[in-house]
């Protein structure tokens, strides 16, 4: 076998052969799939020009949630009224720094997940386990191709990508140390960079999961999963998995099957682990998004509670103990000061748990699976006699202790009327408490504030028991990536505007008015033939709703990535496939090269792919990095009103901005339009968000027919919620042919009043400086 | 000490004043170009519309409030998101709702409490040319002056007293 090195052949002492690197056949094929673009494995500086262009059109808007910096021992430093901190930092840079820290945390959480799952799968399946996403996906890793410049073929290939991810995280986070970056614009550029890396880590995680766990490979007809408290058969032992990392639930399902116990145990999940588990086994039940954690644990339904990582309540040990359910921790992310019993005899661990040990940490999923299953079977009879919620007459008695101080209302993130509900309950009227079940996120801040220590969450749950325990729904299992065949069908109509847009409902469940609003947004746009995609808690929240005809959204609308589809892509890490779909439009429809070619692809998406992300319940640092990364690819994101607490939005100012674009066909600077108008926008109400989604799907590349369709949706929704024509309509009408025919008379009259003049549509809109000018 | 309505909403060392009906009326009278920003909580819409009419203050309706106003036969001067009007108020060069120059007083009422807190923070830090008053449910420490925490009944009285104080002149 030839190796690299220095060789002297016998008899040819004057000839020295140097072999620097052996190129294998696979590597040759790799080199040939596409020429390498300008920015493979970009560093922090590589795409800075792109970021600065984005930030010129969509400048950061800062709303500090804290006026100080408390990060070093010089502080606390007061940053109000142009004061600088002791290190020299000003308020804008400090906000951007905190945003970057949040995005680094979010990226680290996804990268941690990716590292965990990949290494576990390599242990299970080997480094050579192939990545095969089925016959309908040729462009199988669009983010990896575009950012890193490789096509991963095996699980082992993904390790190289994670090495790059981990390296970028170190650099980005290090720049937040005292005395590093001082410019808010460059902090933002770094936040955009590391959040793109977040997208990359998510793609690695989900591709590994699909390959290693054999999750659905873009199946539009993925199974309908039973959903809700009511779907759980409480006569059987119930195991609930909470978190995001599915190795333990997958191992447990396998173990249950091997032991022939499949019809004897209920497996269910909360948060993204629920979605992942149902991608593996259609018989697993989904309880709901993370807002259901506290409610479900308090219900006492679960006989064993298993935690993995991310977005898990940090007091679940205490909560689990109240219900007599043992807690099993399974990763290094959550340890709760419990003993690590990975190397102890599993049967002894089961014995400990049955003898009142509150919980254990088991870091090997295969061992955890045995302990979880055996414990559930044996503890179930012991727990049957326990009551977990107060009876209704007890709820009334507890309510009588309420002193009506009102701090519960003030502690509630949504200022829900808890006090009034409590006053009603004193009189035996539980409707106030019951009405809180839907909008309440079960965060428990009201209880924590309550001077009388009333168990408010349990009282709400008991009062709403008919809704909470009776309702069952369905959710389509997370299907994974969008198929190339689907992109071939929708690519042209999306770029031309004839499919008016992709609406991506993503992120956590810190909703301002409960889960129902996400479902209503989805329904509004599915009816209008947008492509509605969803992931994570939003995909689950959408399931908790019935349309007028009694069907859930997943029953009523097809799961295909097509006009009028309602598509559950998967968990948080599956968000990567939504950006991936936009990239694939550029690759498959426009035939743009992806390899190491980030700027051109992002520019294409920003100007030509009418997509809008909606993180209506954005809560976590992961949601910050998901949204910011999505922005770097040129996709605008609307967050709910709680998203204003992220401190930063990317808002244009159409009354003061100039919208200049390049026409790539002519190389000229041309008058553009605010399309999209904003890049990161917190909306105050669902109605505002709905109108804005329609507007943010408008793109300069729309043809006249496409623009008519988009404007008819925008105008129709504006009229529905605002009662008139949009006041900025003239900005989006380029020529008469853009005006929807059925609205022509009204709109022409408005345009005349606004002093509108026709302008040319841009042939090939771009924000990248044409090469000739750059020279 | 008056605490923020959402009690953990403590921004830092400099907190706005707790308003009295007289101090609110004085600030409105003193302002040359006030603007009234009406948000989605819709608790005191009629009062706010009446104030705008009586004092000839331009109205910006945030979220979908313009639709609610139109149902009442009122047309707001402008309709835009809370963050959009805040962004405009930050720019000294903006000509204001009526094109008469940037505003010197922004009165917020009924914008979603925690979102309003963020908008007031943005103005506190980045719009030194503008004073802010919050007449939304509960105390907002990011406003120059803001209501104390009042029951619904007391709040109604407080708002009526503002109108009374304005009429005194």
């Amino acid at each position: 076998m030839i190796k690299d090195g220095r060789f002297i052949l016998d008899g040819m002492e004057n000839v020295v052969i140097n072999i620097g690197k052996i190129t294998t056949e696979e590597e040759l094929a790799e080199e040939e799939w596409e020429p390498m673009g300008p920015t493979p494995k970009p560093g922090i500086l590589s795409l800075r020009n792109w970021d600065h262009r984005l930030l010129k059109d969509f400048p950061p808007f800062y709303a500090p949630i804290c006026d100080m910096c408390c990060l070093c021992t010089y502080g606390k430093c007061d940053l109000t009224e142009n004061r600088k901190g002791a290190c020299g930092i000003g308020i804008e840079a400090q906000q951007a720094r905190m945003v970057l820290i949040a995005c680094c945390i979010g990226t680290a959480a996804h990268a941690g997940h990716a590292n965990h799952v990949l290494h576990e799968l390599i242990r299970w399946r080997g480094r050579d386990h192939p990545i095969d996403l089925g016959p309908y996906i040729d462009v199988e890793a669009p983010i990896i191709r575009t950012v890193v410049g490789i096509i991963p073929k095996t699980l082992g290939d993904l390790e190289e990508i994670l090495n790059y991810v981990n390296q970028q995280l170190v650099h980005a986070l290090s720049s937040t140390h005292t005395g590093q970056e001082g410019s808010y614009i460059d902090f933002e550029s770094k936040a955009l960079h590391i959040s793109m890396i977040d997208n990359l880590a998510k793609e690695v995680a989900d591709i590994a999961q699909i390959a290693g766990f054999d999750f659905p490979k873009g199946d539009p007809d993925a199974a309908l999963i039973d959903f809700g408290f009511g779907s759980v058969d409480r006569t059987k032992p119930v195991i609930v998995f909470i978190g995001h990392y599915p190795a333990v639930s997958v191992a447990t399902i396998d173990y249950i099957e091997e032991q022939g116990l499949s019809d004897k145990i209920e497996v269910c999940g909360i948060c993204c682990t629920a979605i992942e588990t149902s991608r593996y086994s259609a018989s697993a039940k989904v309880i709901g998004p993370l807002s259901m954690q506290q409610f479900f644990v308090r219900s006492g339904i679960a006989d064993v509670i298993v935690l993995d990582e991310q977005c898990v309540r940090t007091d679940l040990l205490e909560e689990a103990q109240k219900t007599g359910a043992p807690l099993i921790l399974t990763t290094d992310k959550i340890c709760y000061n419990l003993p690590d019993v990975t190397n102890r005899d599993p049967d002894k661990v089961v014995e400990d748990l049955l003898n009142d040990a509150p919980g254990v940490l088991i870091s090997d999923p295969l061992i955890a699976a045995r302990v979880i299953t055996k414990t559930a079977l044996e503890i179930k009879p012991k727990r049957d006699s326990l009551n977990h919620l107060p009876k209704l007459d007890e709820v009334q008695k507890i309510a009588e202790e309420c002193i009506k101080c009102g701090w519960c209302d003030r502690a509630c993130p949504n200022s829900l009327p808890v006090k009034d509900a409590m006053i009603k309950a004193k009189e035996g009227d539980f409707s106030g408490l019951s009405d809180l079940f839907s909008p309440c996120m079960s965060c428990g801040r009201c209880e924590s504030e309550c001077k009388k220590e009333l168990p408010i969450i349990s009282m709400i749950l008991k009062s709403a028991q008919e809704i909470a325990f009776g309702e069952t729904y369905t959710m389509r299992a997370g299907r994974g990536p969008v198929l190339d065949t689907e992109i071939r069908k929708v690519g042209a109509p999306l770029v031309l505007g004839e499919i008016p847009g992709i609406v991506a409902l993503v992120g956590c469940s810190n909703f301002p008015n409960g889960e129902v609003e996400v479902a209503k947004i989805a329904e509004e746009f599915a009816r209008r033939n947008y492509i509605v995609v969803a992931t994570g808690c939003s995909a689950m929240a959408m399931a908790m709703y019935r349309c007028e005809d009694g069907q859930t959204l997943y029953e009523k609308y097809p799961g295909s990535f097509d006009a009028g589809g309602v598509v559950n892509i998967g968990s948080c890490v599956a968000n990567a496939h939504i950006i991936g779909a936009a990239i694939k439009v550029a690759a498959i429809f426009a035939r743009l090269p992806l390899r190491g070619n980030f700027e051109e692809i992002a520019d294409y998406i920003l100007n030509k792919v009418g997509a809008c992300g909606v993180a209506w319940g954005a809560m976590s640092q992961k949601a910050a990095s998901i949204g910011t990364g999505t922005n770097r690819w040129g996709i605008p994101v609307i967050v709910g009103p709680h998203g204003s607490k992220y401190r930063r939005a990317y808002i244009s100012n159409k009354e003061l901005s100039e919208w200049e674009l390049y026409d790539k066909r002519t190389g000229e600077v041309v008058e553009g339009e605010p399309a999209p108008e904003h890049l990161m926008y917190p909306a105050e109400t669902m109605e505002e968000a709905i109108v804005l989604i329609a507007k943010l799907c408008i793109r300069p590349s729309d043809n006249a027919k496409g623009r008519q369709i988009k404007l008819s949706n925008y105008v129709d929704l504006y009229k529905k919620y605002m009662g008139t024509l949009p006041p900025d309509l003239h900005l989006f009408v380029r020529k008469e042919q853009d005006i929807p025919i059925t609205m022509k008379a009204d709109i022409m009259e408005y345009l005349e009043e606004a002093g509108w003049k026709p302008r040319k549509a841009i042939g090939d809109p771009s924000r990248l400086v044409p090469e000739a000018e750059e020279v | 000490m008056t605490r923020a309505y959402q009690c953990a909403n403590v921004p830092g060392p400099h907190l706005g004043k707790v308003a009295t009906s007289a101090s609110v009326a004085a600030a409105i009278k003193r302002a040359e170009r006030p603007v009234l920003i009406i948000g989605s909580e819709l608790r005191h819409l009629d009062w706010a519309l009446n104030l705008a009419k009586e004092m000839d203050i331009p109205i910006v309706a945030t979220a979908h409030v313009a639709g609610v106003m139109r149902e009442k036969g009122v047309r707001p001067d402008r309709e835009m998101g809370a963050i959009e009007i805040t962004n405009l108020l930050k720019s000294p060069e903006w000509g204001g709702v009526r094109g008469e120059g940037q505003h010197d007083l922004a009165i917020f009422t009924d914008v979603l409490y925690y979102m309003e807190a963020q908008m007031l923070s943005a103005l506190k830090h980045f719009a030194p040319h503008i004073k802010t008053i919050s007449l939304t449910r509960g105390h907002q420490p990011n406003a120059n002056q803001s209501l104390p925490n009042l029951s619904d009944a007391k709040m109604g009285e407080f708002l009526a007293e503002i109108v009374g104080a304005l009429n005194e002149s």
Side-chain angles (χ1 to χ4, degrees):
Chain A
M1 186 181 171
I2 301 173
K3 293 181 176 176
D4 53 352
R6 194 162 187 256
F7 300 91
I8 298 170
L9 302 181
D10 288 344
M12 296 179 71
E13 276 71 22
N14 293 330
V15 177
V16 176
I17 301 171
N18 278 308
I19 300 178
K21 184 174 183 296
I22 308 294
T23 302
T24 62
E25 276 183 29
E26 289 78 16
E27 285 169 332
L28 272 175
E30 170 76 8
E31 281 170 17
E32 283 163 9
W33 66 271
E34 217 165 61
M36 185 60 87
T39 54
K41 291 191 177 176
I44 281 176
L45 300 179
S46 312
L47 300 168
R48 187 167 170 250
N49 286 346
W50 171 251
D51 299 335
H52 283 216
R53 174 63 210 239
L54 279 181
L55 297 166
K56 174 175 168 281
D57 286 356
F58 309 100
F61 168 102
Y62 293 114
I65 201 160
C66 174
D67 297 345
M68 297 178 290
C69 176
C70 315
L71 286 177
C72 81
T73 66
Y74 282 137
K76 304 176 177 179
C77 290
D78 174 7
L79 302 178
T80 55
E81 295 175 358
N82 285 328
R83 290 180 182 91
K84 289 179 184 174
C87 70
I89 203 161
I91 187 77
E92 286 178 311
Q94 177 62 13
Q95 301 317 296
R97 183 184 182 198
M98 295 305 292
V99 169
L100 173 55
I101 289 172
C103 291
C104 284
I105 296 172
T107 304
H110 286 134
H113 177 154
N115 276 280
H116 246 142
V117 84
L118 179 63
H119 294 140
E120 189 61 23
L121 281 169
I122 286 175
R123 188 169 78 105
W124 290 12
R125 315 276 188 238
R127 295 187 82 256
D128 295 333
H129 185 78
I131 294 170
D132 174 11
L133 300 190
Y136 304 110
I137 298 179
D138 285 334
V139 185
E140 70 289 270
I143 296 178
I144 294 170
R145 288 178 182 217
T146 310
V147 176
V148 183
I150 66 167
I151 299 177
K153 301 283 187 199
T154 64
L155 290 178
D157 292 345
L158 296 173
E159 284 186 311
E160 178 193 339
I161 301 160
L162 287 185
N163 289 340
Y164 163 68
V165 165
N166 299 342
Q167 181 195 49
Q168 294 306 304
L169 254 173
V170 168
H171 289 304
L173 187 56
S174 74
S175 70
T176 66
H177 187 272
T178 302
Q180 302 254 41
E181 187 56 76
S183 152
Y184 73 90
I185 287 289
D186 276 308
F187 268 130
E188 292 294 350
S189 171
K190 292 175 175 79
L192 288 161
H193 178 71
I194 206 60
S195 301
M196 174 197 73
I197 297 296
D198 170 87
N199 306 150
L200 179 66
K202 292 197 296 263
E203 191 176 74
V204 169
D206 210 46
I207 284 181
Q209 291 181 170
I210 293 168
F213 296 136
D214 197 24
F215 283 174
K217 299 175 168 72
D219 179 7
D221 299 315
L224 283 169
I225 305 296
D226 291 337
F227 188 108
F229 289 29
S231 67
V232 178
D233 181 351
R234 296 165 67 185
T235 62
K236 299 176 185 173
V238 177
I239 303 166
V240 65
F241 293 89
I242 307 177
H244 288 72
Y245 166 68
V248 189
S249 59
V250 164
T252 306
I253 287 169
D254 285 350
Y255 182 78
I256 288 171
E257 254 181 47
E258 281 163 26
Q259 300 298 312
L261 297 166
S262 296
D263 59 345
K264 294 189 173 59
I265 294 180
E266 282 283 84
V267 171
C268 58
I270 296 177
C271 207
C272 282
T273 295
I275 292 194
E276 306 293 30
T277 309
S278 64
R279 288 168 92 183
Y280 188 67
S281 164
S283 61
K285 312 287 170 59
V286 175
I287 301 303
L290 66 89
S291 52
M292 288 292 137
Q293 270 185 66
Q294 176 104 302
F295 280 137
F296 189 72
V297 172
R298 287 280 177 98
S299 76
I301 292 173
D303 293 299
V304 175
I305 300 170
V306 186
L307 309 185
D308 48 79
E309 59 180 65
Q310 304 164 56
C311 307
V312 179
R313 282 192 66 87
T314 53
D315 59 353
L316 281 191
L317 178 58
E318 183 188 329
E319 291 294 336
Q321 276 181 283
K322 287 179 196 165
T323 71
L327 190 73
I328 298 181
L329 312 179
T330 55
T331 73
D332 56 4
K333 302 296 180 294
I334 300 174
C335 301
Y336 291 171
N337 199 26
L338 289 177
D340 181 351
V341 296
T342 311
N343 297 320
R344 185 169 154 79
D345 175 355
D347 290 335
K348 294 253 188 291
V349 175
V350 174
E351 214 176 296
D352 292 345
L353 292 169
L354 294 172
N355 287 319
D356 295 336
V360 291
L361 168 65
I362 306 173
S363 62
D364 183 330
L366 302 172
I367 296 170
R370 288 174 60 185
V371 173
I372 292 163
T373 308
K374 288 184 174 181
T375 306
L377 284 169
E378 295 197 33
I379 206 163
K380 166 75 177 165
K382 289 186 170 189
R383 291 185 71 258
D384 272 347
S385 57
L386 301 175
N387 285 320
H388 306 289
L389 291 175
K391 295 183 179 130
L392 272 181
D393 59 339
E394 289 169 336
V395 170
Q396 184 175 357
K397 273 190 188 153
I398 298 168
E400 282 165 9
E401 293 178 44
C402 168
I403 55 171
K404 298 188 276 188
C405 67
W407 282 100
C408 43
D409 292 10
R410 292 174 65 176
C412 174
N414 288 323
S415 302
L416 293 174
V418 183
K419 184 183 83 174
D420 288 351
M422 211 56 84
I423 291 169
K424 276 188 181 175
K426 282 173 189 257
E427 306 301 322
D429 176 356
F430 305 106
S431 62
L433 286 170
S434 174
D435 288 347
L436 291 175
F437 179 69
S438 171
C440 173
M441 297 295 113
S442 77
C443 76
R445 235 159 65 174
C446 50
E447 281 188 4
S448 195
E449 192 70 37
C450 181
K451 304 281 182 289
K452 305 298 286 185
E453 299 182 3
L454 306 186
I456 300 169
I457 297 296
S458 303
M459 295 165 82
I460 292 172
L461 183 58
K462 181 64 188 178
S463 302
Q465 62 180 346
E466 283 178 26
I467 310 165
F469 299 97
E471 287 282 352
T472 58
Y473 307 92
T474 56
M475 181 194 79
R476 198 169 292 286
R479 54 165 279 178
V482 174
L483 305 177
D484 293 10
T485 42
E486 291 173 308
I487 296 290
R488 280 191 195 102
K489 188 175 171 201
V490 303
L494 264 174
V495 171
L496 300 174
E498 292 161 11
I499 293 176
I502 304 167
V503 179
L505 295 156
V506 305
C508 341
S509 54
N510 188 19
F511 305 120
N513 294 298
E515 290 84 7
V516 67
E517 290 190 335
V518 183
K520 286 184 175 174
I521 294 171
E523 188 179 26
E524 183 77 69
F525 287 96
R527 279 199 285 120
R528 291 171 182 272
N529 270 338
Y530 287 70
I531 303 172
V532 176
V533 297
T535 56
C537 283
S538 288
M540 288 180 268
M542 275 164 51
M544 301 166 70
Y545 173 78
R546 290 190 185 280
C547 307
E548 270 183 14
D549 60 8
Q551 290 182 294
T552 64
L553 288 167
Y554 293 110
E555 289 162 353
K556 183 163 184 170
Y557 295 96
S560 52
F561 188 83
D562 200 351
V566 172
V567 188
N568 179 6
I569 296 284
S571 65
C572 306
V573 290
N575 269 313
H577 304 311
I578 301 176
I579 294 167
I583 298 171
K584 281 163 65 153
V585 171
I588 294 170
F589 169 64
R591 297 184 181 279
L592 290 181
L594 298 185
R595 196 174 187 192
N597 194 26
F598 178 88
E599 270 191 0
E600 190 178 10
I601 298 303
D603 183 58
Y604 183 90
I605 294 171
L606 175 59
N607 292 297
K608 299 185 181 177
V609 180
C612 179
V614 183
W616 195 238
M619 172 278 292
S620 66
Q621 297 83 27
K622 289 197 304 166
S625 58
I626 291 169
T628 304
T630 304
N631 287 161
R632 202 188 209 198
W633 291 95
I635 300 172
V637 174
I638 297 169
V639 291
H642 286 294
S644 62
K645 298 176 208 164
Y646 280 125
R647 304 172 173 82
R648 183 268 278 135
Y650 293 139
I651 302 290
S652 87
N653 193 334
K654 65 178 173 240
E655 303 197 18
L656 301 170
S657 303
E658 289 173 356
W659 292 90
E660 284 183 350
L661 296 180
Y662 296 101
D663 187 340
K664 278 167 89 174
R665 284 190 195 153
T666 62
E668 291 172 353
V669 176
V670 289
E671 185 190 352
E673 52 190 349
E677 184 177 345
H678 304 300
L679 209 52
M680 175 69 81
Y681 182 99
E684 189 179 346
T685 62
M686 173 191 72
E687 294 85 349
E688 180 189 3
I690 286 175
V691 173
L692 190 61
I693 291 165
K695 181 160 71 165
L696 291 186
C697 285
I698 297 173
R699 289 294 178 280
S701 65
D702 300 335
N703 67 11
K705 185 180 166 197
R707 184 60 63 95
Q708 277 190 30
I709 293 168
K710 290 188 182 184
L711 284 181
S712 74
N713 281 298
Y714 177 42
V715 170
D716 190 47
L717 286 165
Y718 205 92
K719 279 185 167 175
K720 178 174 174 182
Y721 293 113
M722 309 292 190
T724 188
L725 290 173
D728 57 0
L729 183 56
H730 57 289
L731 298 173
F732 302 101
V733 181
R734 298 161 300 187
K735 50 194 175 183
E736 262 193 71
Q737 291 91 321
D738 286 348
I739 301 171
I741 293 162
T742 54
M743 301 171 171
K744 200 148 194 171
D746 272 2
I747 291 180
M748 281 310 293
E749 191 184 330
Y750 159 85
L751 290 176
E752 274 169 35
E753 266 181 45
W756 170 83
K757 288 194 178 111
R759 62 178 193 277
K760 275 173 66 177
I762 306 167
D764 192 356
S766 168
R767 279 174 164 84
L768 295 176
V769 181
E771 278 176 25
E773 194 177 321
E774 203 168 24
V775 170
Chain B
M1 190 186 81
T2 299
R3 289 176 67 181
Y5 178 73
Q6 288 198 335
C7 28
N9 180 22
V10 181
H14 306 286
L15 305 177
K17 288 181 182 158
V18 180
T20 63
S21 50
S23 70
V24 172
I28 293 173
K29 279 193 240 176
R30 201 163 46 235
E32 289 182 17
R33 284 183 301 280
V35 60
L36 183 57
I37 297 152
I38 303 178
S40 64
E41 291 213 26
L42 299 174
R43 289 172 161 245
H44 302 99
L45 180 58
D46 291 336
W47 178 87
L49 293 175
N50 190 50
L51 175 76
K53 194 174 168 188
E54 292 294 317
M55 300 300 295
D56 190 27
I57 302 174
I59 295 171
V60 176
T62 72
H64 63 290
V65 176
V68 182
M69 287 186 188
R70 285 198 174 87
E71 283 169 11
K72 289 174 169 285
V74 177
R75 185 181 168 179
D77 293 79
R78 295 294 295 271
E79 47 206 84
M80 62 178 86
I83 195 168
E84 290 178 306
I85 179 60
T86 306
N87 201 27
L88 285 169
L89 290 171
K90 274 171 53 192
S91 307
E93 66 267 34
W94 185 51
V97 170
R98 292 177 178 165
E100 297 166 345
Q102 179 58 286
H103 299 280
D104 57 352
L105 176 68
I107 307 158
F108 283 77
T109 177
D110 282 352
V111 176
L112 210 52
Y113 176 85
Y114 53 88
M115 189 167 181
E116 184 181 294
Q118 293 306 100
M119 299 304 107
L120 291 165
S121 169
L123 294 176
K124 177 174 84 176
H125 286 280
F126 306 116
H129 50 272
I130 203 162
K131 298 281 184 207
T132 55
I133 294 175
S134 170
L135 301 177
T136 297
R137 152 169 67 168
H139 186 64
Q140 288 279 19
N142 279 321
N144 288 103
Q145 53 172 314
S146 155
L147 288 172
N149 298 306
L150 300 170
S151 66
D152 286 348
K154 291 273 182 201
M155 176 136 176
E157 288 171 22
F158 188 100
L159 296 176
E161 284 167 17
I162 293 174
V163 175
L166 286 167
N167 288 337
E168 275 174 18
S169 60

